[in-house]
C-alpha cells in the first residue's frame, strides 16, 4: 500500500464519518509508539477510529489486521489523546473502518466499538 492510498482512505473515512454526524476533532495524532488516524465526537462520545485499507481482500479484511499488540497501542494512544486534550472524563470507544478496493464510499465497512471497551 502506498502512502498516497493510505491518505486517500483516511480522507474517505473522515468524509464518510462527517456525513453521518461525526464531528472530526483530530487526524493523524501521534505519540512515539502510536498514530491515531481519526478522532471524532458523536453524541458526546469520543471515537478513536483506526482506518485499515487493503487493495484486495485475498489475505483478509482490514479488521483482521488489528493484532492484540495494535489494540493495546490504540488504547494507550486514546488515553494519551484524552489526557492531552483535557477529555479524561469523556466516554470513548475505539472503532475500525475497513476500506477494500477503490477508495469509494461503497467500499467502507464500519465496526463501532471494535475492541469492546
Amino acid at each position: 500500500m502506498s502512502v498516497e492510498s493510505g491518505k486517500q482512505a483516511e480522507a474517505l473515512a473522515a468524509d464518510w464519518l462527517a456525513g453521518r454526524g461525526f464531528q472530526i476533532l483530530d487526524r493523524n495524532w501521534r505519540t512515539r509508539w502510536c498514530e491515531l488516524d481519526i478522532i471524532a465526537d458523536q453524541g458526546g462520545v469520543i471515537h478513536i477510529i483506526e482506518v485499515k485499507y487493503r487493495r484486495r481482500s485475498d489475505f483478509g479484511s482490514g479488521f483482521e489486521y488489528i493484532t492484540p499488540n495494535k489494540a493495546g497501542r490504540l488504547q494507550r494512544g486514546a488515553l494519551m489523546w484524552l489526557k492531552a486534550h483535557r477529555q479524561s472524563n469523556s466516554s470513548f470507544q475505539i472503532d475500525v473502518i475497513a476500506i477494500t478496493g477503490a477508495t469509494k464510499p461503497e467500499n467502507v465497512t464500519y465496526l463501532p466499538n471494535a475492541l469492546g471497551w
Side-chain angles (χ1 to χ4, degrees):
M1 174 178 71
S2 71
V3 171
E4 188 60 33
S5 295
K7 287 182 180 183
Q8 287 176 352
E10 288 178 10
L12 172 64
D15 290 345
W16 189 91
L17 289 161
R20 283 152 183 81
F22 287 80
Q23 178 188 1
I24 307 301
L25 302 175
D26 212 342
R27 290 185 54 189
N28 303 112
W29 191 80
R30 297 174 189 268
T31 70
R32 66 183 179 102
W33 35 258
C34 180
E35 177 184 341
L36 302 178
D37 295 331
I38 300 171
I39 299 95
D41 180 289
Q42 186 183 49
V45 175
I46 304 295
H47 295 259
I48 308 300
I49 300 132
E50 176 70 7
V51 179
K52 290 295 188 185
Y53 171 74
R54 295 291 173 261
R55 191 171 336 133
R56 298 173 32 191
S57 60
D58 297 354
F59 300 104
S61 73
F63 299 121
E64 296 173 272
Y65 286 84
I66 306 292
T67 65
N69 185 328
K70 177 69 173 181
R73 285 185 285 141
L74 287 170
Q75 184 180 30
R76 287 192 308 274
L79 294 172
M80 298 254 332
W81 187 92
L82 291 166
K83 183 176 180 182
H85 292 83
R86 298 189 171 136
Q87 298 286 329
S88 295
N89 294 326
S90 297
S91 296
F92 79 96
Q93 65 186 52
I94 298 173
D95 307 339
V96 177
I97 288 183
I99 300 171
T100 304
T103 51
K104 297 180 181 178
E106 60 269 18
N107 295 334
V108 173
T109 305
Y110 174 59
L111 183 61
N113 203 21
L115 303 181
W117 285 306

